[in-house]
Amino acid sequence: LAKTTQPISMDSYEGQEVNITCSHNNIATNDYITWYQQFPSQGPRFIIQGYKTKVTNEVASLFIPADRKSSTLSLPRVSLSDTAVYYCLVGDPYTGTASKLTFGTGTRLQVTL
Amino acid sequence: DTAVSQTPKYLVTQMGNDKSIKCEQNLGHDTMYWYKQDSKKFLKIMFSYNNKELIINETVPNRFSPKSPDKAHLNLHINSLELGDSAVYFCASSHPGTGELFFGEGSRLTVL
């Protein structure tokens, strides 16, 4: 299973763009990269998933370089409500290894005025 | 409608007691999980069930016994509770196509 490494914490002001990078040097060919968000006293919530290049949805963008050894979650114009822990996971959702997705330490994002 | 619901939300008990946490999902998913999140916020998978069958047991002490009466339910029973069992336990299910995990709100267990 690919191990992931993320910054422990990040700080941002409201309205700024936040980029959180995750390293996954031994990602396997069939692995996808998935990001989750967790608020205090809640379960993690899916944000975005991608395999290569760029994926964008209404919440975030995910940038994955050609070698796929890292990925960057981009949150445009964060607000106070984006204060949360963000987890990067890698795994193959189609052959069952998603069952063994390992959540790393996550990145604690603190947004202030 | 809550997609993944677990009860109770809070549980305070004495060492040595036995307790259960229940989980139900109404998403029609075949695969369900139990995760444990400790005080340092590490989220570790404990068990995974697919269509009522155990497929993953991540070296969890045998004091922990999951039970799946049907594919919509996955309960967790813990015998002889220890101080180190204090944590938040999350139930989840996964979408068969994308692997996206859907988590419950968590059950905070405190062992005194």
Side-chain angles (χ1 to χ4, degrees), chain A residues 30-46:
Chain A
N30 295 331
D31 285 345
Y32 281 66
I33 300 148
T34 311
W35 285 79
Y36 285 81
Q37 174 190 56
Q38 185 179 25
F39 296 115
S41 303
Q42 294 186 24
R45 185 180 69 172
F46 174 91

